[in-house]
Amino acid sequence: MKKQTSESQIGQRPLRVLISGGGTGGHIFPALAIANALRRRDPSVEILFAGAEGKMEMERVPAAGYKIIGLPVAGFDRRRLWRNAAVLAKLWRSMRKAHRIVADFRPDIAVGVGGYASGPVLKEAQRRGIPTMLQEQNSYAGVTNKLLAAKAKAICTAYPGMERFFPAERITITGNPIRSELLQCTLTQAEAKKALGFDPARALVFVTGGSLGARTVNESVAAALPLLAEHDIQLLWQTGRLYADEFARRSESYRDVRPLPFISDMATAYRAADLVVARAGAGTISELQLLAKPAILIPSPNVAEDHQTKNALALSSREAAVLIPDAEATQRLGKEITELIASPARRHLLATNISAMACRGSDDLIVDTLLSIITPQEK
């Protein structure tokens, strides 16, 4: 099969791709992975991002070498409806700005990765007859992607069974792209532990609640510290910036516990870990799958449609991870950690099963789907 290129679609003019969405790393990292895969395929491709003002994409995307335009869009407050007058005003301004972005950039295709910003941009592209493609990271589709699906040419998903949200004939299971550096670590587990300042011969648990942190995860780890010390378990603990000082103080009397506000070298952290404790965001789960890491998942209850619980259930129902509900984490986490560390056989089973669920080469599969939309098919 001949490799598809953008040149076959538009002659000598470079392909223009508009990528919209964000708000969390779970949206941003796949978006950047798609952009990087496009650049590998065709260095001349012109890529523009559209995101939400004040969100992390406004820093992460330029740092990766791409231009981004921010929209003043915000999500609806479902609990305090009286606050949504301001949200509606921001949505109206965002729609006007999306009109200008699409008119000025004139993309050949618009890609939505979820998040509030993708709504106005892809709606405007669809209104103009520009092909659109969606990438849905979660096992329970987000509101924005569900609203955009009717006119999308293709929907790339990470889980089977998504036809309950999207037209079945337009779904392609591609998995979620992850940061390429996570797959490029060449250290052995012992070398990774040593590089992080831990004893290579002893078990290490890696805890991450995201870059900002997660209160329940941190409280649960703090409650588990005496039990972990009793079982001689080492701990690498990303507390998040919001909680760094508090939990550094609460753990200072324990040796072999390293609380950090943020870990930049996630590849080494993952490689060193005998067990990972994390939230159940789609991006984190894809990383665990591709890296074959046994994990305890504590889904956040503060997300739309409780989608993290659904993500975690997709794994725990296949004996590919341990699920602890957020409300039970403080009581259960220490016991679950010590039991798993004491059972290499069970950790091996979890690692084997989670690895079997991985979709490899997701970024290139998504680009293949994108190019199939805008490239005339050979007869």
Side-chain angles (χ1 to χ4, degrees):
M1 179 177 175
K2 185 178 179 181
K3 194 174 187 179
Q4 295 168 321
T5 65
S6 58
E7 191 172 90
S8 63
Q9 159 67 7
I10 51 178
Q12 298 304 309
R13 179 176 68 76
L15 172 68
R16 295 190 185 120
V17 179
L18 179 57
I19 302 177
S20 186
T24 67
H27 295 308
I28 297 163
F29 294 133
L32 288 172
I34 294 167
N36 291 338
L38 277 165
R39 280 252 171 103
R40 289 197 305 271
R41 195 77 63 92
D42 180 0
S44 71
V45 65
E46 296 178 8
I47 299 171
L48 176 66
F49 282 79
E53 291 176 352
K55 297 296 185 180
M56 62 187 298
E57 59 263 29
M58 302 307 295
E59 295 181 4
R60 294 294 181 92
V61 170
Y66 297 98
K67 181 180 178 181
I68 186 168
I69 299 175
L71 303 179
V73 67
F76 281 92
D77 191 327
R78 301 180 187 184
R79 296 181 180 177
R80 295 163 292 189
L81 296 178
W82 64 89
R83 296 192 174 189
N84 287 322
V87 174
L88 290 171
K90 289 181 178 180
L91 178 60
W92 182 76
R93 294 201 304 274
S94 295
M95 291 173 68
R96 292 189 63 186
K97 195 166 185 179
H99 172 85
R100 293 196 300 273
I101 291 170
V102 176
D104 291 345
F105 187 60
R106 295 180 294 118
D108 297 292
I109 188 167
V111 180
V113 297
Y116 307 123
S118 63
V121 173
L122 265 74
K123 273 292 184 185
E124 177 62 21
Q126 291 176 344
R127 189 185 71 80
R128 290 171 174 264
I130 295 167
T132 59
M133 184 182 83
L134 306 178
Q135 200 257 330
E136 175 57 58
Q137 299 92 22
N138 294 293
S139 62
Y140 194 94
V143 173
T144 303
N145 277 349
K146 285 191 284 188
L147 292 173
L148 294 168
K151 294 184 179 179
K153 296 294 185 182
I155 301 113
C156 299
T157 68
Y159 293 90
M162 298 301 285
E163 60 273 5
R164 67 191 190 277
F165 305 112
F166 304 128
E169 69 278 6
R170 293 183 223 160
I171 293 173
T172 301
I173 298 179
T174 60
N176 288 322
I178 70 169
R179 294 166 280 185
S180 60
E181 60 267 25
L182 297 184
L183 300 172
Q184 294 168 357
C185 182
T186 59
L187 298 176
T188 66
Q189 185 178 50
E191 289 170 342
K193 287 180 181 179
K194 188 174 182 180
L196 293 169
F198 292 101
D199 182 349
R202 293 163 52 213
L204 174 66
V205 174
F206 171 39
V207 177
T208 174
S211 59
L212 295 179
R215 165 63 67 178
T216 301
V217 174
N218 286 328
E219 290 286 359
S220 302
V221 173
L225 287 175
L227 193 57
L228 301 189
E230 181 184 330
H231 287 79
D232 200 30
I233 295 171
Q234 302 176 108
L235 180 65
L236 176 62
W237 183 5
Q238 181 174 270
T239 61
R241 295 186 179 95
L242 295 178
Y243 306 105
D245 292 341
E246 175 186 353
F247 288 97
R249 287 193 302 271
R250 292 173 65 175
S251 62
E252 61 187 6
S253 62
Y254 294 90
R255 68 182 186 91
D256 302 322
V257 174
R258 188 178 178 191
L260 297 170
F262 183 73
I263 296 173
S264 57
D265 187 0
M266 289 290 285
T268 301
Y270 272 128
R271 180 60 59 89
D274 293 283
L275 177 68
V276 178
V277 177
R279 286 301 202 190
T284 298
I285 286 178
S286 294
E287 291 170 357
L288 293 168
Q289 289 172 336
L290 286 162
L291 298 173
K293 284 294 173 180
I296 296 173
L297 301 176
I298 306 172
S300 171
N302 305 312
V303 294
E305 309 288 352
D306 196 24
H307 69 256
Q308 286 203 8
T309 295
K310 298 175 177 70
N311 290 347
L313 282 168
L315 273 66
S316 64
S317 64
R318 295 171 171 83
E319 193 67 14
V322 173
L323 189 165
I324 302 179
D326 187 85
E328 301 175 14
T330 304
Q331 291 74 37
R332 289 180 52 190
L333 182 60
K335 182 174 182 290
E336 295 285 356
I337 288 175
T338 55
E339 288 181 354
L340 280 170
I341 291 298
S343 178
R346 185 154 184 240
R347 281 187 281 121
H348 178 74
L349 176 65
L350 293 175
T352 299
N353 290 345
I354 200 170
S355 177
M357 297 179 69
C359 289
R360 290 166 174 81
S362 296
D363 51 357
D364 281 314
L365 290 173
I366 292 169
V367 170
D368 287 342
T369 303
L370 182 154
L371 293 175
S372 74
I373 294 171
I374 60 175
T375 304
Q377 299 298 305
E378 297 182 8
K379 302 295 184 181

